[in-house]
Amino acid sequence: MIEQIDHLGIAVHRLDDAVEYYEKALGLHCLGREEVVSQKVNTAFFAVGEVHLELLEPTSEDSPIAKFLKKHGPGIHHIAFRVDDIDGQLNTVKQAGVRLIHEVPIEGAGAKLVAFLDPKTTQGVLTELCQANRERPRI
Ligand code: ZN
């Protein structure tokens, strides 16, 4: 089940510049930074109520974020829904005809389990499902 919007992913060229904007212009507090090796990005998180903003800076030319920036420039990259059972939710969307980028969840920022859905099958929005790692049922 989808519980809430967990975060919005925002692609940026330079994390330092973006963090400065969110801190100085909007007065938000950066919760922390983290490199996510599997996605070849550096991230910075901000909390806006219950929803987080996830700024994404590519760490290499073949990062998915580098490709996105080349094609679209900086801006909103994805929306992430928090789910209580990522495997079950992946199964549900797959049965509804959605193509999965990750058939099996991978480790994302904050040690969460994440999986992306193909935007060609989600009305144009790159969609991430995420679940706190510790809550994942082990079989
Ligand atoms: Zn994300």
Side-chain angles (χ1 to χ4, degrees):
M1 190 186 78
I2 290 177
E3 298 173 326
Q4 66 165 76
I5 292 175
D6 187 80
H7 63 271
L8 299 174
I10 300 171
V12 303
H13 286 296
R14 275 178 41 87
L15 210 50
D16 288 343
D17 295 344
V19 166
E20 187 179 314
Y21 161 72
Y22 284 96
E23 285 185 333
K24 288 197 175 154
L26 300 185
L28 296 172
H29 171 66
C30 183
L31 299 176
R33 295 183 185 214
E34 183 184 342
E35 181 178 4
V36 183
V37 176
S38 68
Q39 295 293 293
K40 296 179 179 169
V41 291
N42 284 320
T43 64
F45 278 91
F46 292 85
V48 185
E50 295 265 300
V51 178
H52 286 182
L53 301 179
E54 177 188 60
L55 306 183
L56 302 154
E57 169 197 69
T59 54
S60 103
E61 276 300 301
D62 62 341
S63 160
I65 295 300
K67 289 172 192 160
F68 178 90
L69 286 168
K70 223 170 261 174
K71 203 168 169 189
H72 305 283
I76 292 182
H77 176 258
H78 67 270
I79 182 168
F81 293 109
R82 187 182 304 166
V83 298
D84 58 354
D85 170 16
I86 194 164
D87 295 313
Q89 195 70 47
L90 284 171
N91 207 21
T92 301
V93 296
K94 195 174 176 179
Q95 282 177 10
V98 171
R99 251 194 333 257
L100 311 182
I101 294 174
H102 302 109
E103 293 274 343
V104 176
I106 60 170
E107 184 153 319
K112 285 178 181 168
L113 287 172
V114 307
F116 283 87
L117 313 180
D118 187 337
K120 290 190 187 87
T121 61
T122 61
Q123 303 294 313
V125 178
L126 179 59
T127 302
E128 172 185 342
L129 302 178
C130 69
Q131 178 190 341
N133 209 353
R134 63 183 183 283
E135 292 167 13
R136 189 180 199 209
R138 298 270 171 220
I139 301 166

